[in-house]
Amino acid sequence: MDRNQVSVKILSAKVARKMRWSEIAEKMGKSKEWTTAALLGQMSLDEHQAEIAQNLFSLTAEETAWLQIVPYKGSLPTAVPTDPLIYRWYEIVNVYGSTIKELIHEEFGDGIMSAIDFSMDITREPDPKGDRVKVLLSGKFLPYKSY
Amino acid sequence: MDRNQVSVKILSAKVARKMRWSEIAEKMGKSKEWTTAALLGQMSLDEHQAEIAQNLFSLTAEETAWLQIVPYKGSLPTAVPTDPLIYRWYEIVNVYGSTIKELIHEEFGDGIMSAIDFSMDITREPDPKGDRVKVLLSGKFLPYKSY
Amino acid sequence: MDRNQVSVKILSAKVARKMRWSEIAEKMGKSKEWTTAALLGQMSLDEHQAEIAQNLFSLTAEETAWLQIVPYKGSLPTAVPTDPLIYRWYEIVNVYGSTIKELIHEEFGDGIMSAIDFSMDITREPDPKGDRVKVLLSGKFLPYKSY
Amino acid sequence: MDRNQVSVKILSAKVARKMRWSEIAEKMGKSKEWTTAALLGQMSLDEHQAEIAQNLFSLTAEETAWLQIVPYKGSLPTAVPTDPLIYRWYEIVNVYGSTIKELIHEEFGDGIMSAIDFSMDITREPDPKGDRVKVLLSGKFLPYKSY
Amino acid sequence: MDRNQVSVKILSAKVARKMRWSEIAEKMGKSKEWTTAALLGQMSLDEHQAEIAQNLFSLTAEETAWLQIVPYKGSLPTAVPTDPLIYRWYEIVNVYGSTIKELIHEEFGDGIMSAIDFSMDITREPDPKGDRVKVLLSGKFLPYKSY
Amino acid sequence: MDRNQVSVKILSAKVARKMRWSEIAEKMGKSKEWTTAALLGQMSLDEHQAEIAQNLFSLTAEETAWLQIVPYKGSLPTAVPTDPLIYRWYEIVNVYGSTIKELIHEEFGDGIMSAIDFSMDITREPDPKGDRVKVLLSGKFLPYKSY
Amino acid sequence: MDRNQVSVKILSAKVARKMRWSEIAEKMGKSKEWTTAALLGQMSLDEHQAEIAQNLFSLTAEETAWLQIVPYKGSLPTAVPTDPLIYRWYEIVNVYGSTIKELIHEEFGDGIMSAIDFSMDITREPDPKGDRVKVLLSGKFLPYKSY
Amino acid sequence: MDRNQVSVKILSAKVARKMRWSEIAEKMGKSKEWTTAALLGQMSLDEHQAEIAQNLFSLTAEETAWLQIVPYKGSLPTAVPTDPLIYRWYEIVNVYGSTIKELIHEEFGDGIMSAIDFSMDITREPDPKGDRVKVLLSGKFLPYKSY
Amino acid sequence: MDRNQVSVKILSAKVARKMRWSEIAEKMGKSKEWTTAALLGQMSLDEHQAEIAQNLFSLTAEETAWLQIVPYKGSLPTAVPTDPLIYRWYEIVNVYGSTIKELIHEEFGDGIMSAIDFSMDITREPDPKGDRVKVLLSGKFLPYKSY
Amino acid sequence: MDRNQVSVKILSAKVARKMRWSEIAEKMGKSKEWTTAALLGQMSLDEHQAEIAQNLFSLTAEETAWLQIVPYKGSLPTAVPTDPLIYRWYEIVNVYGSTIKELIHEEFGDGIMSAIDFSMDITREPDPKGDRVKVLLSGKFLPYKSY
């Protein structure tokens, strides 16, 4: 058994029981973004969170133990994603990548925006010309220093 | 001559004259995100915008004409970016890709978040534990329809 | 269980029962293009459509639930397809790609032809020198805007 | 000198002189799709067509000779295109590839749709909800035969 | 079940029963080249041919049905083949590719040699310095036309 | 200077002077297949052949010396060729690769068909349904031996 | 069943029974290099050799038949090997590749060193500064000829 | 200027002056294998060796300085070499890789054969059935140790 | 059965029994770095070490035998790792690679830092601004020599 | 002009003037690791540091300006490095990658070792059995947090 098999089981149980990620997140007491990432095998749960998952998805003791192990991260099957929704994000990185780099460096100097000390919030933005997906990303700026 | 050579000339002029993207954007009357992307060869300028660029960077008439041609987009030299700042964005897509997909579909159904009818806003978020890069993405939701 | 296993089961049932996609589409009340894509795991079905599929292919309740989940799209095993029929389409994109780009931009300006607000119609065009495959693609033009 | 340099020179001349592909095609007496592909280095011109190009773009005798040589075809710099407009076409092949294969085989049997005995027609389809790009592809069906 | 599993079963039966491709082809009433390709999952059989295969390899009804479905073609596990015999063919394409292109265009003009309206014949050519593999390829020339 | 630059110069001279490969081959006293491959930088010429080339293409002494050096072979810019004519040959290797392997092994046992002790002959085969490209490949069989 | 499964079974039996390749080779009456390659699925055995293997590894009749089929060769899971011992060999080819090419051509002219009419002998070379791996490669030179 | 340009200049001078690697090596007082690798940009020369090269190839002072800098090694343009002579070596690694690994480990235990404390000797082995390329590789065995 | 399956079983047992690598290493009498690498299938154990593992993880006799076989090394599923923790190490190699090369050559001359005669020590470095991961790498310098 | 051209000029000047990185670093008042990385185009210099570089390498004003621009990082020409010294580091990441991940997570929990808030120190470790390269890496641990 490995962590991936636990993720597949969770996804399969979620489909069979017609649960929603936002409801699951509420039971976890965490944001829907973090909860979904964690249950899809990208984050590790603490003991309490793992027990909630155990009950929600009828997991065995070993499966529950796996949820507390740090997973090998990376949720895409190919380097360039084929799924159109995920590709659009890759496209944003590809088309705007050099722009993002220029503007963050202009404002903050040499360094990066952290993808670890990071949070994401996805919401619906009503719009008469068609609703929009609004995403707020927040990552700590980490400067390179000379030594 | 091709568009890429114009972008290199603009970047070189910007460095030599120590201009900032935000100042250039102000002169263009556009956001710094769009202006930077356009001058780095990812968007096309209208005649008026091209003239402003011509003056700012001492471009020839042919160079100015190229700015009004739609460029072949894509600003990264490799499919997986090597630059750490840009890689973190690729990493966000890689780690959170399946999460983003699940949550947008849960809220909106089958479809995508547009990367064309799209805007981006990058700002500094002061924080006593270290300032953060705050990014607001807004893309129209485009539903798949059956036919 | 995942969506892919449902697609394989459907394909296997279709072969064993010698059904045709056009007959299945008629029962679905949708075009043969959309129906085939959906059952091959590229589109999601609504509850009514899923029930029709359940009856046609003797699916279980969980399999039927999977058909209503948005799938991870992408129907080809390699980035460059090896199958000659599909390769010819890749070749058209490769040989005519820059032409398509030039002509759409000349007519519409900067933007794209949507692959989401999109439909396809494949028909036989009788021709004394050998019948032809006639394909009509229709995608909404989505303009880039400056902001 | 090679054919690619001739294509770059033509493109550069076209930009500097602000010509349109449809006007050039009219002078060639050919469709805008074929003319554009030919001048972008994907098709070969006959002597008469090459002379018209020579006049339009002020080509030398050797450059004009190159236009009559069959070029090494393929107009994209990477196997998966990064440009959003061209990528959408790749995405159509990726998402609908297995569907296209199933439906052409169902109608015609084993074989391919030719990308050589092939024509393309790109037009604007007015639509109150936003104009559409309408593309008509026509390729001869070529059957595999047993021997 | 998919077509690939049928091919594996056929190959396994052929090995266990020590049959030769040329004998199988004779029973099929087709060339050994076409028969081998078909049974390795690259061509589709008609009903009569499928029945012969059913008897030769003790296939089930569903397996026999799969043989009549057009397969997803492509018989190599990697883009550049690792097997030395098949690699030599790839090498011929790599070393002589530009030569083949030049000579076919010189003789026929712009177009291709069809890989669909195509046949192959592999024979032994006795030679005192070591027997040779003689291969005759015949493919219809398909011209590009301007439109 | 390297060999590649000599090949480009030869090709450029051939275009400017409107020579044909078959005429050049006749002057070389060799087949058109070998001659073309050699002048495209895939084979090395002896002193006499190099002198003929020197005269035909007005080469310098150093350029003529390069023609006698064994070149780094491989005439294609990408592992999977994008040019439709050359791709068809790659497709033949891809679709028929496992067939070719089975049939040569059945006839000759374990070993390969040489791509070195090898010749190729490309001719036009008149056919009322459309002329065909006929290619005769002949390669020595080289057996693996146990030791 | 395929040849690969037979190789895995042989390797597993060898581990469980703690056999050495040199002992197995002695029973085969062949060199340890050829024997190991053959049993790892890179060479084909004759009937007598296959029977010896059948007894040594308790193979079934079908498994024994597979050993006499020419395998699809290539023993590495990736194009650039990750295993350090095998990588060093790849590194030798990478670093010394152009050197090997220059020196063999200088001595023999245009052609190759055969990897088919080829043998390898790996021995221990005692050395006070640390024993060395001594490898003797012998491959027939095969000249390219003009035709 | 970089090291690569020096290598190209050396190769060009060698061709123009019709020198042989073995003669150059003799003047260097080193083996032809090491000398060739060094001058092709894979090894670094000491001051004395660099002066000899300076004289042989009429190098400038800066070019001579570059020869004493350790180069970025790797002499092949692609991960899988396209040149047939070099490919055969890659093929040996690919086909015999697992065999080499098994036999070295059986004799020496866990570790590698060094590609650094390494030498190579390429000679002609006369053989009535066709001369052979004989290569002697000698690399120190370096054991992995537990710690 | 192969070595990989043994590693998976060990990892699964470790998770189910909530053991720590440092405790396992203590029982092995080896460093935690070597022990972890060995049990994850990158190093081979001696008989005594294998017995300890057998007891700790309830392995069968064949599984225990596999631990003493030298494994095919390489612990990552893709050439560029997707896991953020491991990617940071790849990034260090990518960003600092040319620096490391320059500095080791400046100090030691031409050669490498061994990855075989090598040890690693990972410890926690307390720091008021946030604890640090401190890693000590030690590899023997192996010089290239001319011959 | 771009940053890369400045790096090449610096390297060329350093070779021509036979400077050492450690001497340059001393003049910069920074570690040799940071200084080398910066001058090879991986870090950005402040105004004072750039002036020192200007004097050392005779740079123009524009070249000096480029040194203060944040560069596009990544110092290797291929994803898997071919140079043996750099490859050994890639090998360490490949072989020990899963080990490093397990041990850092065991000690610190889920998170990464920073490659930004990071320093490196490369020194010679004298050893009677052959001197060793000793490398000390220190990176801040950055924990993932749930939100």
Side-chain angles (χ1 to χ4, degrees), chain C residues 12 15 77 81-84 86 96, chain E residues 62 65-66 69 71-74 147:
Chain C
S12 183
V15 169
T82 62
D83 182 83
I86 302 178
Y96 284 97
Chain E
E62 190 187 341
W66 273 105
I69 301 298
Y72 188 91
K73 298 180 173 76
Y147 54 91

Side-chain angles (χ1 to χ4, degrees), chain H residues 1-2 47 62 65-76 112 114-116 144-145 147, chain J residues 8 11-16 18 75-78 80-84 86 88 91 95-96 129:
Chain H
M1 165 164 290
D2 61 22
E47 203 174 340
E62 190 187 340
W66 272 107
L67 290 179
Q68 301 171 61
I69 300 297
V70 183
Y72 188 91
K73 298 180 172 78
S75 69
L76 305 179
I112 61 153
S114 180
I116 307 295
Y144 271 103
K145 287 174 207 145
Y147 52 91
Chain J
V8 169
L11 209 52
S12 182
K14 177 180 171 292
V15 168
K18 310 205 172 185
S75 69
L76 304 180
T78 50
V80 176
T82 62
D83 182 83
I86 301 177
R88 294 308 179 276
E91 181 175 306
V95 170
Y96 284 98
K129 284 177 288 183

Side-chain angles (χ1 to χ4, degrees), chain F residues 3-67:
Chain F
R3 172 69 183 260
N4 199 43
Q5 291 171 298
V6 184
S7 298
V8 169
K9 181 166 176 187
I10 287 175
L11 207 54
S12 183
K14 176 181 171 294
V15 168
R17 296 167 195 198
K18 309 203 173 186
M19 290 185 273
R20 290 173 62 86
W21 293 112
S22 52
E23 298 161 6
I24 298 167
E26 214 170 331
K27 279 174 185 144
M28 284 283 184
K30 290 284 162 185
S31 70
K32 66 183 183 309
E33 288 77 13
W34 183 88
T35 305
T36 306
L39 293 174
L40 290 175
Q42 303 299 316
M43 304 286 157
S44 50
L45 282 70
D46 66 23
E47 203 174 339
H48 178 62
Q49 294 159 344
E51 271 170 30
I52 297 172
Q54 185 175 27
N55 291 331
L56 281 173
F57 305 109
S58 310
L59 305 179
T60 66
E62 190 187 341
E63 286 162 352
T64 309
W66 273 106
L67 290 179

Side-chain angles (χ1 to χ4, degrees), chain B residues 62 65-66 69 71-74 147, chain D residues 12 15 77 81-84 86 96:
Chain B
E62 190 187 340
W66 273 106
I69 300 296
Y72 188 91
K73 298 179 173 77
Y147 53 93
Chain D
S12 182
V15 168
T82 62
D83 183 82
I86 302 177
Y96 284 97

